[in-house]
Every structure is written in C-alpha cells, then in structure tokens.
Amino acid sequence: MRVRLPGLNTVRNRKTGQAYYYFGKGGPRIHGEPGTPEFLENYRKAEVAAGKTTAGTVQHILNEWQRTPRFQALAPSTRRQYIESVIVIERTFGTMPIAALADKRARGVFLAWRDSMSATPRTADIRLRTLSVALNHAVDRGWLDRNPVAKPGRLHNVTRADKTWTDADLAAFHASAPDHLRLALTLALHTGQRQGDLLRLTWAQYDGRYIRLTQQKTGARVVIPATAELRAILDERRGPANDTILTTQRGQRAWTSDGFRASWNQAMKDAGVTGVTFHDLRGTAVTRLSVAGCTPQEIGTITGHSLSHVNAIIDSHYLKRDTALADSAIRKLEESQTLPKSGLGGNIKSDGKR
C-alpha cells in the first residue's frame, strides 16, 4: 500500500525529461526511485531536515523517535513500514499538543481513528502500533507520564495454525515452477529461514557444509548444516563468492523483495497452490523437524527461533492439526511396549461378552 507523500515536488528537465524530486519548493533533493524503500526513507529524512516540526506536538515526538539510534538500527523493511505509518499519523495528529495526550479521552480518539480504517484491519493495527511505539519513546524521555494507546488490542486476528505446505503443495509447485524459484523453495524448506535473509544469502556464506547467516529481523546468528540434498544442489550451482545464491531468471541479478514477491505469487498461481505463503515454509520446516524427532533446542539452533518461540510454534501455531505427529506418537508408543495387554480381541458380541 503506497501512501501519498505531502510536500513532494517533482521537477523535470525539459530537454531530457529526467525527473528530480524535492521536499517542497527549494527544499532538499530526494534521491532514489519513487516507491522504493530508499526513496521513502530519503523523503522522510528530507522532511525532518526541512524543519517540519513544532515543539510540544505529536509531530515533534514522531521526528525525535526516528532520530534515535534504536530506530536507525532497525531493518530497512521495518523502518519503511514505520515511516509509511508515520506519514499517515502526522496528517491527522501531527499538530496535536503533547499536553492533550494526558487527557483521558485521548485513547478513545486514537482507537476511533484506528477503527475508521477497519476495512483494512492489518494496516489499521500497524498504524496504531506505530503511534504506540513512538509514544513509548515520549514516555521514556519524560514528555509523557503514560502511553494513552498502550496495549490497544487488534482488529486483525488471523492465525496460521494449520497453514503448512502439504506434500501435494510441494509436488505441484515443483512440477510447474521455474528452476530458480524451485531453488528458493528448497532453501526455505531445508533451512527454515525468512524470505529476506534467503534473498540476501551469498555463496560466501556457504562453505560446502554449513550455511552461516545473521538474521536481519532479530540479529540472531545461525549456522545451518546443509542436508545432503541441499548440498548436492548448491555444489552444482556454486557461483562467485559475492553473488547471491538466489537470482532472477534473467541476467542472474539479485532479487528485490518486490520483484521476488511478484514472481513467487505468479508461480503459486500457475501451480494451483493456495492457502499458504512463502513465509509458511518456515513453519513447515519447524513442523518437519519436529515430526522427524528433533527437540525444540535442535530446531531453534537451525531456524534461529528462541526456545520459547519454538515451543509456542509447536504448541499453538503449526502442529496441533498435523496428523503426522499423532502417527509418530502412536508408533513410538507401540514400539515401546509399555502398555499392558488388555486381553481383548477375537470375536466380541454386541453385549461385550465373547
């Protein structure tokens, strides 16, 4: 969802037609291609640098929060999502005095604003969550005594409890998808990593036995032993150290996140695979590791989840409806021979007597 950027001024070179972008007339230039994360972040920096702020307002809180080292250390995709929300928030609440946030009615005003976007509940929740994080910063700095939108609840409540790729889904995708996207699926299924981390993965991070990476979202460092199948595939395809393992079909270029998403969605459509996403391959990997008898500690070492998160996934999100776990449990029970013999069997009459 692209948001309108207030104050964006476009100037075109009359001879070449080249477009140049500025914040306001005579304001700082904004570099990058419109619609990209780089452009959005440069726009926001230009907006802040132009002095669009008033002390003692919500706008001031939003700007100061974005200047913090903690905000700047966030993953680019996370910053982009926050900035998109900030642009929307400041249109409605930018001039609101900080003093007004102490009014007990402020929470109701913000919740009503969130509810007005209920047609897109996930986006509505993201907008309010962004405001809440910014206001937490104001509390930390002593500008507010409390956050009026702390723990607001959510409009968007979607569980992916039963969203794992079936063998039929995997077979259908492999049967119709192009080779470079089948490699993406195999990497995700054999490593349990997020899309963004896999798209950035270079050949230098694979030494013929292990894949080493630092997850961008959490900062977790993981060392993943490659399965025999994955090793055979990667060893056959190995490229220059600085090249990404996953590349576009044309030109062997690294993927952009938007480009990969578009190609992946088309491949899913062509394969007739519905109801699951690329991210669900992460949960599918957890499921398969658990079915194979791996402990939560072993799973977390591979996927980068915390132990508590692995247990939560196994308990709530992916495995409750997976019959393979139930089959595995009964098989282990039968093999253990710990159940006493019932003495039943043979021909039993309807009254329960032989």
PDB file of all heavy atoms in Angstrom, residues 241-272:
ATOM      1  N   ALA A 241      31.795 -15.701  -4.987  1.00  0.00           N
ATOM      2  CA  ALA A 241      31.546 -15.541  -3.558  1.00  0.00           C
ATOM      3  C   ALA A 241      30.566 -14.416  -3.242  1.00  0.00           C
ATOM      4  O   ALA A 241      29.721 -14.540  -2.349  1.00  0.00           O
ATOM      5  CB  ALA A 241      32.856 -15.318  -2.811  1.00  0.00           C
ATOM      6  N   ASN A 242      30.656 -13.291  -3.960  1.00  0.00           N
ATOM      7  CA  ASN A 242      29.830 -12.132  -3.638  1.00  0.00           C
ATOM      8  C   ASN A 242      28.447 -12.171  -4.283  1.00  0.00           C
ATOM      9  O   ASN A 242      27.618 -11.299  -4.011  1.00  0.00           O
ATOM     10  CB  ASN A 242      30.548 -10.844  -4.045  1.00  0.00           C
ATOM     11  CG  ASN A 242      31.776 -10.582  -3.193  1.00  0.00           C
ATOM     12  OD1 ASN A 242      31.825 -10.963  -2.030  1.00  0.00           O
ATOM     13  ND2 ASN A 242      32.775  -9.935  -3.780  1.00  0.00           N
ATOM     14  N   ASP A 243      28.207 -13.138  -5.142  1.00  0.00           N
ATOM     15  CA  ASP A 243      26.894 -13.254  -5.781  1.00  0.00           C
ATOM     16  C   ASP A 243      25.890 -13.881  -4.819  1.00  0.00           C
ATOM     17  O   ASP A 243      26.247 -14.723  -3.981  1.00  0.00           O
ATOM     18  CB  ASP A 243      26.970 -14.122  -7.038  1.00  0.00           C
ATOM     19  CG  ASP A 243      27.627 -13.400  -8.205  1.00  0.00           C
ATOM     20  OD1 ASP A 243      28.028 -12.236  -8.020  1.00  0.00           O
ATOM     21  OD2 ASP A 243      27.751 -14.014  -9.279  1.00  0.00           O
ATOM     22  N   THR A 244      24.638 -13.475  -4.932  1.00  0.00           N
ATOM     23  CA  THR A 244      23.599 -14.116  -4.129  1.00  0.00           C
ATOM     24  C   THR A 244      23.279 -15.484  -4.699  1.00  0.00           C
ATOM     25  O   THR A 244      23.367 -15.709  -5.912  1.00  0.00           O
ATOM     26  CB  THR A 244      22.318 -13.265  -4.101  1.00  0.00           C
ATOM     27  OG1 THR A 244      21.874 -13.019  -5.439  1.00  0.00           O
ATOM     28  CG2 THR A 244      22.560 -11.941  -3.386  1.00  0.00           C
ATOM     29  N   ILE A 245      22.908 -16.403  -3.828  1.00  0.00           N
ATOM     30  CA  ILE A 245      22.556 -17.758  -4.268  1.00  0.00           C
ATOM     31  C   ILE A 245      21.268 -17.731  -5.084  1.00  0.00           C
ATOM     32  O   ILE A 245      21.153 -18.396  -6.111  1.00  0.00           O
ATOM     33  CB  ILE A 245      22.422 -18.696  -3.053  1.00  0.00           C
ATOM     34  CG1 ILE A 245      23.795 -18.867  -2.373  1.00  0.00           C
ATOM     35  CG2 ILE A 245      21.847 -20.043  -3.467  1.00  0.00           C
ATOM     36  CD1 ILE A 245      23.754 -19.698  -1.111  1.00  0.00           C
ATOM     37  N   LEU A 246      20.307 -16.961  -4.629  1.00  0.00           N
ATOM     38  CA  LEU A 246      19.045 -16.832  -5.354  1.00  0.00           C
ATOM     39  C   LEU A 246      19.133 -15.630  -6.284  1.00  0.00           C
ATOM     40  O   LEU A 246      19.462 -14.523  -5.852  1.00  0.00           O
ATOM     41  CB  LEU A 246      17.883 -16.661  -4.370  1.00  0.00           C
ATOM     42  CG  LEU A 246      17.631 -17.845  -3.434  1.00  0.00           C
ATOM     43  CD1 LEU A 246      16.473 -17.533  -2.484  1.00  0.00           C
ATOM     44  CD2 LEU A 246      17.331 -19.116  -4.222  1.00  0.00           C
ATOM     45  N   THR A 247      18.834 -15.854  -7.547  1.00  0.00           N
ATOM     46  CA  THR A 247      18.903 -14.789  -8.538  1.00  0.00           C
ATOM     47  C   THR A 247      17.672 -14.822  -9.427  1.00  0.00           C
ATOM     48  O   THR A 247      16.940 -15.812  -9.478  1.00  0.00           O
ATOM     49  CB  THR A 247      20.149 -14.934  -9.433  1.00  0.00           C
ATOM     50  OG1 THR A 247      20.092 -16.207 -10.110  1.00  0.00           O
ATOM     51  CG2 THR A 247      21.420 -14.852  -8.617  1.00  0.00           C
ATOM     52  N   THR A 248      17.460 -13.725 -10.127  1.00  0.00           N
ATOM     53  CA  THR A 248      16.361 -13.670 -11.083  1.00  0.00           C
ATOM     54  C   THR A 248      16.685 -14.571 -12.267  1.00  0.00           C
ATOM     55  O   THR A 248      17.843 -14.935 -12.501  1.00  0.00           O
ATOM     56  CB  THR A 248      16.148 -12.238 -11.592  1.00  0.00           C
ATOM     57  OG1 THR A 248      17.336 -11.810 -12.264  1.00  0.00           O
ATOM     58  CG2 THR A 248      15.852 -11.297 -10.453  1.00  0.00           C
ATOM     59  N   GLN A 249      15.665 -14.910 -13.010  1.00  0.00           N
ATOM     60  CA  GLN A 249      15.867 -15.791 -14.154  1.00  0.00           C
ATOM     61  C   GLN A 249      16.675 -15.092 -15.251  1.00  0.00           C
ATOM     62  O   GLN A 249      17.496 -15.710 -15.917  1.00  0.00           O
ATOM     63  CB  GLN A 249      14.516 -16.251 -14.711  1.00  0.00           C
ATOM     64  CG  GLN A 249      14.630 -17.328 -15.783  1.00  0.00           C
ATOM     65  CD  GLN A 249      13.283 -17.906 -16.144  1.00  0.00           C
ATOM     66  OE1 GLN A 249      12.256 -17.278 -15.924  1.00  0.00           O
ATOM     67  NE2 GLN A 249      13.276 -19.112 -16.686  1.00  0.00           N
ATOM     68  N   ARG A 250      16.424 -13.800 -15.416  1.00  0.00           N
ATOM     69  CA  ARG A 250      17.116 -13.048 -16.455  1.00  0.00           C
ATOM     70  C   ARG A 250      18.287 -12.270 -15.870  1.00  0.00           C
ATOM     71  O   ARG A 250      18.140 -11.548 -14.906  1.00  0.00           O
ATOM     72  CB  ARG A 250      16.156 -12.076 -17.129  1.00  0.00           C
ATOM     73  CG  ARG A 250      14.987 -12.766 -17.831  1.00  0.00           C
ATOM     74  CD  ARG A 250      14.074 -11.733 -18.451  1.00  0.00           C
ATOM     75  NE  ARG A 250      12.941 -12.357 -19.132  1.00  0.00           N
ATOM     76  CZ  ARG A 250      11.975 -11.685 -19.746  1.00  0.00           C
ATOM     77  NH1 ARG A 250      12.001 -10.366 -19.737  1.00  0.00           N
ATOM     78  NH2 ARG A 250      10.984 -12.319 -20.343  1.00  0.00           N
ATOM     79  N   GLY A 251      19.442 -12.435 -16.474  1.00  0.00           N
ATOM     80  CA  GLY A 251      20.582 -11.621 -16.089  1.00  0.00           C
ATOM     81  C   GLY A 251      21.277 -12.061 -14.817  1.00  0.00           C
ATOM     82  O   GLY A 251      22.273 -11.472 -14.422  1.00  0.00           O
ATOM     83  N   GLN A 252      20.737 -13.083 -14.126  1.00  0.00           N
ATOM     84  CA  GLN A 252      21.371 -13.576 -12.907  1.00  0.00           C
ATOM     85  C   GLN A 252      21.583 -12.463 -11.885  1.00  0.00           C
ATOM     86  O   GLN A 252      22.592 -12.414 -11.195  1.00  0.00           O
ATOM     87  CB  GLN A 252      22.709 -14.255 -13.235  1.00  0.00           C
ATOM     88  CG  GLN A 252      22.560 -15.490 -14.104  1.00  0.00           C
ATOM     89  CD  GLN A 252      21.821 -16.616 -13.390  1.00  0.00           C
ATOM     90  OE1 GLN A 252      22.284 -17.125 -12.372  1.00  0.00           O
ATOM     91  NE2 GLN A 252      20.672 -17.019 -13.903  1.00  0.00           N
ATOM     92  N   ARG A 253      20.636 -11.563 -11.772  1.00  0.00           N
ATOM     93  CA  ARG A 253      20.730 -10.459 -10.811  1.00  0.00           C
ATOM     94  C   ARG A 253      20.097 -10.858  -9.490  1.00  0.00           C
ATOM     95  O   ARG A 253      19.212 -11.708  -9.433  1.00  0.00           O
ATOM     96  CB  ARG A 253      20.032  -9.214 -11.356  1.00  0.00           C
ATOM     97  CG  ARG A 253      20.625  -8.674 -12.655  1.00  0.00           C
ATOM     98  CD  ARG A 253      19.990  -7.331 -12.995  1.00  0.00           C
ATOM     99  NE  ARG A 253      18.527  -7.426 -13.031  1.00  0.00           N
ATOM    100  CZ  ARG A 253      17.841  -7.814 -14.109  1.00  0.00           C
ATOM    101  NH1 ARG A 253      18.472  -8.149 -15.213  1.00  0.00           N
ATOM    102  NH2 ARG A 253      16.520  -7.861 -14.083  1.00  0.00           N
ATOM    103  N   ALA A 254      20.547 -10.188  -8.419  1.00  0.00           N
ATOM    104  CA  ALA A 254      19.932 -10.410  -7.115  1.00  0.00           C
ATOM    105  C   ALA A 254      18.489  -9.918  -7.145  1.00  0.00           C
ATOM    106  O   ALA A 254      18.161  -8.941  -7.820  1.00  0.00           O
ATOM    107  CB  ALA A 254      20.723  -9.679  -6.030  1.00  0.00           C
ATOM    108  N   TRP A 255      17.640 -10.585  -6.398  1.00  0.00           N
ATOM    109  CA  TRP A 255      16.229 -10.206  -6.335  1.00  0.00           C
ATOM    110  C   TRP A 255      16.043  -8.948  -5.506  1.00  0.00           C
ATOM    111  O   TRP A 255      16.741  -8.728  -4.512  1.00  0.00           O
ATOM    112  CB  TRP A 255      15.416 -11.307  -5.666  1.00  0.00           C
ATOM    113  CG  TRP A 255      15.138 -12.527  -6.472  1.00  0.00           C
ATOM    114  CD1 TRP A 255      15.760 -13.740  -6.363  1.00  0.00           C
ATOM    115  CD2 TRP A 255      14.138 -12.683  -7.493  1.00  0.00           C
ATOM    116  NE1 TRP A 255      15.212 -14.627  -7.256  1.00  0.00           N
ATOM    117  CE2 TRP A 255      14.217 -14.011  -7.961  1.00  0.00           C
ATOM    118  CE3 TRP A 255      13.197 -11.823  -8.051  1.00  0.00           C
ATOM    119  CZ2 TRP A 255      13.389 -14.520  -8.949  1.00  0.00           C
ATOM    120  CZ3 TRP A 255      12.363 -12.317  -9.042  1.00  0.00           C
ATOM    121  CH2 TRP A 255      12.464 -13.639  -9.489  1.00  0.00           C
ATOM    122  N   THR A 256      15.045  -8.156  -5.869  1.00  0.00           N
ATOM    123  CA  THR A 256      14.469  -7.192  -4.937  1.00  0.00           C
ATOM    124  C   THR A 256      13.312  -7.910  -4.247  1.00  0.00           C
ATOM    125  O   THR A 256      12.759  -8.879  -4.788  1.00  0.00           O
ATOM    126  CB  THR A 256      13.937  -5.940  -5.661  1.00  0.00           C
ATOM    127  OG1 THR A 256      12.854  -6.331  -6.534  1.00  0.00           O
ATOM    128  CG2 THR A 256      15.041  -5.282  -6.479  1.00  0.00           C
ATOM    129  N   SER A 257      12.933  -7.454  -3.078  1.00  0.00           N
ATOM    130  CA  SER A 257      11.851  -8.127  -2.364  1.00  0.00           C
ATOM    131  C   SER A 257      10.546  -8.053  -3.142  1.00  0.00           C
ATOM    132  O   SER A 257       9.794  -9.039  -3.218  1.00  0.00           O
ATOM    133  CB  SER A 257      11.677  -7.525  -0.962  1.00  0.00           C
ATOM    134  OG  SER A 257      11.385  -6.149  -1.038  1.00  0.00           O
ATOM    135  N   ASP A 258      10.264  -6.901  -3.747  1.00  0.00           N
ATOM    136  CA  ASP A 258       9.028  -6.759  -4.517  1.00  0.00           C
ATOM    137  C   ASP A 258       9.050  -7.627  -5.770  1.00  0.00           C
ATOM    138  O   ASP A 258       8.046  -8.230  -6.141  1.00  0.00           O
ATOM    139  CB  ASP A 258       8.807  -5.295  -4.905  1.00  0.00           C
ATOM    140  CG  ASP A 258       8.447  -4.416  -3.718  1.00  0.00           C
ATOM    141  OD1 ASP A 258       8.023  -4.970  -2.683  1.00  0.00           O
ATOM    142  OD2 ASP A 258       8.581  -3.190  -3.815  1.00  0.00           O
ATOM    143  N   GLY A 259      10.205  -7.682  -6.427  1.00  0.00           N
ATOM    144  CA  GLY A 259      10.316  -8.498  -7.625  1.00  0.00           C
ATOM    145  C   GLY A 259      10.144  -9.970  -7.329  1.00  0.00           C
ATOM    146  O   GLY A 259       9.456 -10.693  -8.065  1.00  0.00           O
ATOM    147  N   PHE A 260      10.764 -10.419  -6.238  1.00  0.00           N
ATOM    148  CA  PHE A 260      10.617 -11.826  -5.870  1.00  0.00           C
ATOM    149  C   PHE A 260       9.175 -12.145  -5.515  1.00  0.00           C
ATOM    150  O   PHE A 260       8.632 -13.176  -5.923  1.00  0.00           O
ATOM    151  CB  PHE A 260      11.525 -12.161  -4.681  1.00  0.00           C
ATOM    152  CG  PHE A 260      11.417 -13.596  -4.246  1.00  0.00           C
ATOM    153  CD1 PHE A 260      12.114 -14.589  -4.912  1.00  0.00           C
ATOM    154  CD2 PHE A 260      10.582 -13.958  -3.186  1.00  0.00           C
ATOM    155  CE1 PHE A 260      12.002 -15.918  -4.530  1.00  0.00           C
ATOM    156  CE2 PHE A 260      10.474 -15.281  -2.800  1.00  0.00           C
ATOM    157  CZ  PHE A 260      11.181 -16.274  -3.466  1.00  0.00           C
ATOM    158  N   ARG A 261       8.549 -11.254  -4.756  1.00  0.00           N
ATOM    159  CA  ARG A 261       7.165 -11.498  -4.334  1.00  0.00           C
ATOM    160  C   ARG A 261       6.240 -11.637  -5.536  1.00  0.00           C
ATOM    161  O   ARG A 261       5.378 -12.528  -5.575  1.00  0.00           O
ATOM    162  CB  ARG A 261       6.699 -10.364  -3.424  1.00  0.00           C
ATOM    163  CG  ARG A 261       5.345 -10.611  -2.755  1.00  0.00           C
ATOM    164  CD  ARG A 261       4.966  -9.477  -1.828  1.00  0.00           C
ATOM    165  NE  ARG A 261       5.965  -9.291  -0.794  1.00  0.00           N
ATOM    166  CZ  ARG A 261       6.788  -8.255  -0.706  1.00  0.00           C
ATOM    167  NH1 ARG A 261       6.722  -7.296  -1.616  1.00  0.00           N
ATOM    168  NH2 ARG A 261       7.658  -8.170   0.282  1.00  0.00           N
ATOM    169  N   ALA A 262       6.429 -10.780  -6.527  1.00  0.00           N
ATOM    170  CA  ALA A 262       5.576 -10.836  -7.717  1.00  0.00           C
ATOM    171  C   ALA A 262       5.783 -12.138  -8.481  1.00  0.00           C
ATOM    172  O   ALA A 262       4.815 -12.792  -8.902  1.00  0.00           O
ATOM    173  CB  ALA A 262       5.864  -9.640  -8.620  1.00  0.00           C
ATOM    174  N   SER A 263       7.034 -12.532  -8.674  1.00  0.00           N
ATOM    175  CA  SER A 263       7.326 -13.770  -9.404  1.00  0.00           C
ATOM    176  C   SER A 263       6.850 -14.988  -8.626  1.00  0.00           C
ATOM    177  O   SER A 263       6.321 -15.943  -9.204  1.00  0.00           O
ATOM    178  CB  SER A 263       8.834 -13.879  -9.678  1.00  0.00           C
ATOM    179  OG  SER A 263       9.261 -12.867 -10.561  1.00  0.00           O
ATOM    180  N   TRP A 264       7.029 -14.959  -7.314  1.00  0.00           N
ATOM    181  CA  TRP A 264       6.598 -16.083  -6.480  1.00  0.00           C
ATOM    182  C   TRP A 264       5.077 -16.239  -6.520  1.00  0.00           C
ATOM    183  O   TRP A 264       4.565 -17.360  -6.671  1.00  0.00           O
ATOM    184  CB  TRP A 264       7.072 -15.885  -5.049  1.00  0.00           C
ATOM    185  CG  TRP A 264       6.700 -17.023  -4.143  1.00  0.00           C
ATOM    186  CD1 TRP A 264       5.594 -17.130  -3.351  1.00  0.00           C
ATOM    187  CD2 TRP A 264       7.441 -18.235  -3.963  1.00  0.00           C
ATOM    188  NE1 TRP A 264       5.588 -18.330  -2.681  1.00  0.00           N
ATOM    189  CE2 TRP A 264       6.709 -19.027  -3.036  1.00  0.00           C
ATOM    190  CE3 TRP A 264       8.630 -18.719  -4.481  1.00  0.00           C
ATOM    191  CZ2 TRP A 264       7.155 -20.290  -2.634  1.00  0.00           C
ATOM    192  CZ3 TRP A 264       9.075 -19.976  -4.073  1.00  0.00           C
ATOM    193  CH2 TRP A 264       8.340 -20.739  -3.165  1.00  0.00           C
ATOM    194  N   ASN A 265       4.360 -15.138  -6.404  1.00  0.00           N
ATOM    195  CA  ASN A 265       2.897 -15.208  -6.429  1.00  0.00           C
ATOM    196  C   ASN A 265       2.382 -15.743  -7.754  1.00  0.00           C
ATOM    197  O   ASN A 265       1.414 -16.508  -7.797  1.00  0.00           O
ATOM    198  CB  ASN A 265       2.305 -13.827  -6.142  1.00  0.00           C
ATOM    199  CG  ASN A 265       2.494 -13.389  -4.702  1.00  0.00           C
ATOM    200  OD1 ASN A 265       2.762 -14.210  -3.834  1.00  0.00           O
ATOM    201  ND2 ASN A 265       2.371 -12.106  -4.447  1.00  0.00           N
ATOM    202  N   GLN A 266       3.048 -15.363  -8.845  1.00  0.00           N
ATOM    203  CA  GLN A 266       2.639 -15.879 -10.150  1.00  0.00           C
ATOM    204  C   GLN A 266       2.900 -17.377 -10.246  1.00  0.00           C
ATOM    205  O   GLN A 266       2.076 -18.140 -10.783  1.00  0.00           O
ATOM    206  CB  GLN A 266       3.387 -15.147 -11.261  1.00  0.00           C
ATOM    207  CG  GLN A 266       2.963 -15.562 -12.669  1.00  0.00           C
ATOM    208  CD  GLN A 266       1.492 -15.289 -12.932  1.00  0.00           C
ATOM    209  OE1 GLN A 266       1.016 -14.181 -12.703  1.00  0.00           O
ATOM    210  NE2 GLN A 266       0.751 -16.298 -13.386  1.00  0.00           N
ATOM    211  N   ALA A 267       4.037 -17.814  -9.724  1.00  0.00           N
ATOM    212  CA  ALA A 267       4.356 -19.242  -9.736  1.00  0.00           C
ATOM    213  C   ALA A 267       3.368 -20.041  -8.887  1.00  0.00           C
ATOM    214  O   ALA A 267       2.981 -21.158  -9.251  1.00  0.00           O
ATOM    215  CB  ALA A 267       5.783 -19.466  -9.230  1.00  0.00           C
ATOM    216  N   MET A 268       2.950 -19.471  -7.762  1.00  0.00           N
ATOM    217  CA  MET A 268       1.946 -20.124  -6.920  1.00  0.00           C
ATOM    218  C   MET A 268       0.631 -20.268  -7.681  1.00  0.00           C
ATOM    219  O   MET A 268      -0.023 -21.323  -7.644  1.00  0.00           O
ATOM    220  CB  MET A 268       1.730 -19.304  -5.646  1.00  0.00           C
ATOM    221  CG  MET A 268       2.907 -19.280  -4.698  1.00  0.00           C
ATOM    222  SD  MET A 268       2.956 -20.717  -3.613  1.00  0.00           S
ATOM    223  CE  MET A 268       1.617 -20.315  -2.485  1.00  0.00           C
ATOM    224  N   LYS A 269       0.248 -19.216  -8.376  1.00  0.00           N
ATOM    225  CA  LYS A 269      -0.986 -19.237  -9.149  1.00  0.00           C
ATOM    226  C   LYS A 269      -0.914 -20.285 -10.252  1.00  0.00           C
ATOM    227  O   LYS A 269      -1.858 -21.055 -10.464  1.00  0.00           O
ATOM    228  CB  LYS A 269      -1.244 -17.856  -9.740  1.00  0.00           C
ATOM    229  CG  LYS A 269      -2.536 -17.747 -10.536  1.00  0.00           C
ATOM    230  CD  LYS A 269      -2.727 -16.327 -11.062  1.00  0.00           C
ATOM    231  CE  LYS A 269      -4.008 -16.209 -11.878  1.00  0.00           C
ATOM    232  NZ  LYS A 269      -4.195 -14.811 -12.389  1.00  0.00           N
ATOM    233  N   ASP A 270       0.219 -20.333 -10.958  1.00  0.00           N
ATOM    234  CA  ASP A 270       0.387 -21.304 -12.037  1.00  0.00           C
ATOM    235  C   ASP A 270       0.356 -22.734 -11.515  1.00  0.00           C
ATOM    236  O   ASP A 270      -0.118 -23.646 -12.206  1.00  0.00           O
ATOM    237  CB  ASP A 270       1.708 -21.051 -12.767  1.00  0.00           C
ATOM    238  CG  ASP A 270       1.727 -19.723 -13.516  1.00  0.00           C
ATOM    239  OD1 ASP A 270       0.633 -19.164 -13.748  1.00  0.00           O
ATOM    240  OD2 ASP A 270       2.829 -19.243 -13.842  1.00  0.00           O
ATOM    241  N   ALA A 271       0.873 -22.932 -10.302  1.00  0.00           N
ATOM    242  CA  ALA A 271       0.910 -24.278  -9.714  1.00  0.00           C
ATOM    243  C   ALA A 271      -0.416 -24.671  -9.084  1.00  0.00           C
ATOM    244  O   ALA A 271      -0.617 -25.844  -8.745  1.00  0.00           O
ATOM    245  CB  ALA A 271       2.023 -24.358  -8.671  1.00  0.00           C
ATOM    246  N   GLY A 272      -1.307 -23.702  -8.919  1.00  0.00           N
ATOM    247  CA  GLY A 272      -2.587 -24.000  -8.280  1.00  0.00           C
ATOM    248  C   GLY A 272      -2.471 -24.207  -6.784  1.00  0.00           C
ATOM    249  O   GLY A 272      -3.335 -24.837  -6.170  1.00  0.00           O
TER     250      GLY A 272
END
